[in-house]
Amino acid sequence: MQRDKQSKHPIYWAFHIDGIFHEMSQDKVYCATAKDLVEKSLNGINCILIGYGQTGSGKSFTIGGLRNNWEHRGIVPRLLSDMFMEKANRRKISNIRYRLSFIELRGKNVVDLLTQKRRIFNVNERGVFKIHIVEMAGTGTVGKSSCWKTAVDLGMANLMKIQLEQYFLHLRKPSMSTYSVIRSSNLLKLLRDAFTVTSIIRFISHVRITREDLEITLSTMRMTAKIAKLKPIKTIRHIQPQTELIVQQLREQVNTLKKELELNDMFLHQEALANISKSRLEQICRDVINFLQGFISELTLFNVTHARVLVNVVKQLYDKFVPLILCILDQSSNLNLCILIIYVI
Ligand SMILES: Nc1ncnc2c1ncn2[C@@H]1O[C@H](COP(=O)(O)OP(=O)(O)OP(=O)(O)O)[C@@H](O)[C@H]1O
């Protein structure tokens, strides 16, 4: 809000945004802005999350969080935990592999922070779905008390802001000028594969609410509002489940069907044996009792004779114990007690 010099009335600014985080825990910020990105990217959607705003406004706090402080860890450590949790959850149906890059963009230089080497990126990798987490350089005005950055650093940060703003404006209607915007920025070159209308783009703007920072706050909010208003072109996109996943599921189906066929074959073409040895009979009885008592999880049938004996044993157990159970049920209404007795037997 600002009071107009000529008039006594205050001026208000209103901006359309999706939400405000004020005095909010890191967990809530993560859940609202990034938690769903793991699943989306595993389903084949590229995701970009950008932390943007004035210098000293809390971008590093949101993205990385505080070091050595579990509660205040930021989006990146939380996202990594969730990624590996999801990998573990899906290990039976999918072989997920992750690759991680940690990159610093400084002017024309691109430095891989994991190897400390300059590198050139292969931006057009196909079949790899990415989550880009970007912490933009903080913008600001030289000479303000809240700004301790050099003029060169601020100049680069402000230029990056303009390039990003231009790119977003061109995003809806790609034209030749879009490509010249991309060519001018290392960040856009790096992101262009993922920066499409079918991607998920999350923009977290950071502002400092002080009188001194009003102009830069307004500039940040104007850009945020422009981006928030962009309505992506609706495209129908059929996301194909990963090939590996389909192959794995089909293999499991084939194995189940094979087992069923073997069993069918066995029962159809086998004659029951007239005699069965005493020790074999005792073994089958023991198996049935162990199964009923829960010591083994399943009974494997080897032949028709085995199945017949099994049914007989179950019938004998039924004849022996059901009258006893009914009698106990008559005497007591405590069902738990009855169940306990059955297992003791
Ligand atoms: N929500 C918050 N709660 C507690 N402390 C915070 C919060 N946000 C920021 N801070 C603290 O404010 C200071 C500045 O924040 P931070 O370094 O994240 O700003 P920045 O926007 O990344 O700055 P720059 O653009 O200069 O890198 C840090 O000491 C940070 O720990």
Side-chain angles (χ1 to χ4, degrees):
M1 186 188 85
Q2 188 185 46
R3 195 174 291 281
D4 192 341
K5 281 177 192 145
Q6 268 96 49
S7 122
K8 286 182 181 159
H9 301 293
I11 298 171
Y12 294 95
W13 291 270
F15 299 100
H16 176 83
I17 49 164
D18 295 316
I20 299 173
F21 302 107
H22 179 63
E23 310 246 325
M24 197 76 88
S25 71
Q26 292 279 64
D27 186 47
K28 285 205 172 129
V29 174
Y30 171 69
C31 287
T33 59
K35 195 172 175 61
D36 61 331
L37 299 187
V38 176
E39 203 187 342
K40 301 261 194 252
S41 65
L42 289 175
N43 288 338
I45 300 172
N46 285 313
C47 308
I48 303 176
L49 185 142
I50 300 176
Y52 166 79
Q54 187 184 358
T55 180
S57 55
K59 297 179 293 297
S60 309
F61 185 82
T62 306
I63 303 288
L66 293 186
R67 281 189 191 180
N68 306 322
N69 186 317
W70 184 247
E71 192 196 336
H72 295 303
R73 67 197 189 283
I75 287 175
V76 170
R78 285 170 201 269
L79 203 64
L80 286 172
S81 304
D82 280 356
M83 281 163 66
F84 285 98
M85 212 163 343
E86 201 54 36
K87 181 177 161 76
N89 290 342
R90 298 188 186 202
R91 69 184 180 282
K92 284 194 182 150
I93 48 165
S94 189
N95 179 22
I96 299 169
R97 277 174 296 161
Y98 292 128
R99 275 189 282 159
L100 177 80
S101 297
F102 191 25
I103 295 150
E104 183 184 64
L105 303 179
R106 178 170 271 272
K108 296 233 174 272
N109 291 341
V110 180
V111 180
D112 184 332
L113 293 174
L114 298 178
T115 61
Q116 291 299 326
K117 284 183 187 154
R118 280 178 171 215
R119 56 179 278 188
I120 300 162
F121 297 98
N122 178 8
V123 287
N124 290 318
E125 267 176 306
R126 298 277 165 222
V128 179
F129 299 102
K130 296 173 189 161
I131 305 180
H132 294 277
I133 307 289
V134 183
E135 186 193 327
M136 297 279 292
T139 51
T141 315
V142 186
K144 293 262 172 167
S145 63
S146 58
C147 183
W148 54 89
K149 286 195 167 178
T150 65
V152 176
D153 282 346
L154 280 178
M156 278 198 302
N158 292 343
L159 177 66
M160 233 183 222
K161 177 205 160 195
I162 293 167
Q163 288 168 333
L164 196 66
E165 196 168 2
Q166 275 185 331
Y167 182 75
F168 274 114
L169 293 178
H170 285 293
L171 195 59
R172 273 211 77 192
K173 276 191 189 165
S175 63
M176 285 314 286
S177 54
T178 316
Y179 299 105
S180 66
V181 177
I182 292 173
R183 269 203 303 275
S184 63
S185 157
N186 264 339
L187 177 67
L188 294 176
K189 269 189 221 162
L190 195 68
L191 298 180
R192 76 167 165 200
D193 228 17
F195 246 153
T196 67
V197 285
T198 51
S199 305
I200 291 175
I201 303 168
R202 302 259 162 87
F203 206 81
I204 312 178
S205 294
H206 295 70
V207 293
R208 289 161 59 102
I209 312 169
T210 58
R211 195 179 175 81
E212 191 196 19
D213 298 311
L214 181 67
E215 273 176 30
I216 193 149
T217 298
L218 284 175
S219 156
T220 305
M221 292 311 301
R222 280 190 193 111
M223 177 168 161
T224 312
K226 271 186 212 160
I227 294 165
K229 265 192 225 155
L230 282 178
K231 290 210 168 45
I233 304 157
K234 282 185 186 151
T235 52
I236 300 165
R237 187 173 166 200
H238 300 288
I239 298 158
Q240 295 290 338
Q242 288 177 3
T243 329
E244 286 171 21
L245 190 74
I246 300 170
V247 171
Q248 176 77 21
Q249 282 167 348
L250 289 175
R251 265 199 202 121
E252 278 165 17
Q253 274 179 21
V254 168
N255 284 342
T256 317
L257 289 171
K258 267 187 187 166
K259 275 186 194 161
E260 262 179 42
L261 273 176
E262 276 170 17
L263 269 180
N264 282 346
D265 204 42
M266 189 177 90
F267 285 116
L268 278 175
H269 299 104
Q270 244 190 28
E271 288 295 322
L273 294 173
N275 294 316
I276 185 165
S277 72
K278 194 171 170 233
S279 61
R280 183 79 192 106
L281 188 67
E282 283 167 0
Q283 175 62 46
I284 295 172
C285 289
R286 272 200 300 278
D287 283 352
V288 174
I289 295 200
N290 280 339
F291 176 68
L292 291 175
Q293 289 186 327
F295 294 128
I296 53 174
S297 59
E298 59 182 47
L299 278 173
T300 313
L301 298 176
F302 295 108
N303 50 41
V304 181
T305 315
H306 193 161
R308 272 199 185 159
V309 173
L310 199 139
V311 172
N312 276 338
V313 172
V314 172
K315 177 84 176 70
Q316 281 168 23
L317 284 170
Y318 179 87
D319 292 344
K320 193 170 170 187
F321 295 119
V322 166
L324 178 66
I325 293 164
L326 290 176
C327 169
I328 294 164
L329 270 173
D330 261 358
Q331 289 165 11
S332 165
S333 61
N334 190 338
L335 191 63
N336 287 334
L337 182 68
C338 294
I339 291 169
L340 192 68
I341 289 169
I342 294 166
Y343 277 106
V344 169
I345 288 164

